[in-house]
């Protein structure tokens, strides 16, 4: 799930800011570059949100079916536990991506610390990224819920 966003995680905020300052001679060029980076991340995260939603729906269906089969005796508890582990891995992947995105958001914020008018556009993109991170966090809560509902004691 998080492979598309995993590359987004990158190094520390200071490294990103220093790199941008080194790459671009003017503040405007640097801000334009940062804004484009945030826009690109927003596109990738939007795709990840859509994919994760489909994965959640698929996992719900798989778990419901597995629960019925375990109850009917056609599948073993170990099969259910393996499926739960897979779903848990999906949740962990999204959590890892969230962590990386939060680091990137900090980098973007620090790199766009000027007060220019074009900075407002960058801050709007950062705000959009923050909203998308919140969406991913809600998806993690959905994973938690379906994992809890389907645990077999």
């Amino acid at each position: 799930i998080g492979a598309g966003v995993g590359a987004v995680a990158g190094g520390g905020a200071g490294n990103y800011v220093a790199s941008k300052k080194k790459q671009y001679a003017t503040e405007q060029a640097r801000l334009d570059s940062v804004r484009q980076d945030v826009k690109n991340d927003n596109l990738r995260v939007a795709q990840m949100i859509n994919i994760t939603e489909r994965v959640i729906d698929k996992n719900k269906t798989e778990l419901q079916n597995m629960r019925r089969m375990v109850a009917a005796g056609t599948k073993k508890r170990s099969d259910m536990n393996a499926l739960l582990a897979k779903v848990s891995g999906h949740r962990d992947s999204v959590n890892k991506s969230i962590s990386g995105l939060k680091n990137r958001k900090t980098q973007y914020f620090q790199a766009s610390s000027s007060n220019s008018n074009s900075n407002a556009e960058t801050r709007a993109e950062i705000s959009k990224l923050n909203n998308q991170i919140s969406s991913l966090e809600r998806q993690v809560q959905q994973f938690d819920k379906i994992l809890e509902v389907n645990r077999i004691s």
Side-chain angles (χ1 to χ4, degrees):
I1 293 175
V5 181
V8 171
N15 293 340
Y16 180 78
V17 174
S19 171
K20 288 296 177 185
K21 284 184 178 180
K22 193 178 205 180
Q23 282 180 306
Y24 298 96
T26 68
E27 181 178 354
Q28 185 60 49
R30 180 177 52 84
L31 286 174
D32 290 345
S33 175
V34 171
R35 184 174 40 260
Q36 190 59 51
D37 288 349
V38 182
K39 282 182 179 184
N40 291 340
D41 278 354
N42 278 331
L43 290 172
R44 284 189 290 269
V45 175
Q47 291 172 345
M48 181 184 177
I49 289 168
N50 290 332
I51 290 168
T52 303
E53 195 62 42
R54 289 193 304 266
V55 168
I56 289 169
D57 290 342
K58 182 179 180 208
N59 287 167
K60 281 181 188 177
T61 300
E62 290 173 337
L63 286 165
Q64 289 168 350
N65 291 338
M66 181 66 73
R67 191 171 189 76
R68 280 193 286 271
M69 289 186 279
V70 169
T74 57
K75 289 285 185 176
K76 297 179 183 178
R77 285 183 170 200
S78 61
D79 296 321
M80 180 63 147
N81 289 335
L83 183 55
L84 288 167
K86 180 178 100 172
V87 174
S88 183
H90 292 160
R91 180 200 55 208
D92 294 347
S93 178
V94 175
N95 268 328
K96 185 176 179 182
S97 292
I98 289 169
S99 177
L101 287 165
K102 285 181 176 180
N103 288 336
R104 274 301 261 216
K105 181 183 74 168
T106 299
Q107 293 172 354
Y108 293 144
F109 191 79
Q110 289 179 357
S112 66
S113 61
S114 76
N115 292 320
S116 72
N117 287 338
S118 65
N119 191 39
E121 295 171 38
T122 303
R123 293 290 170 97
E125 287 294 326
I126 294 169
S127 178
K128 182 178 177 181
L129 179 61
N130 192 56
N131 290 338
Q132 291 191 109
I133 291 169
S134 294
S135 292
L136 289 171
E137 289 172 332
R138 285 189 297 276
Q139 288 181 321
V140 167
Q141 291 171 351
Q142 288 180 305
F143 276 120
D144 288 340
K145 183 178 176 183
I146 63 173
L147 285 166
E148 184 60 34
V149 166
N150 288 286
R151 295 238 185 261
I152 297 179
S153 21

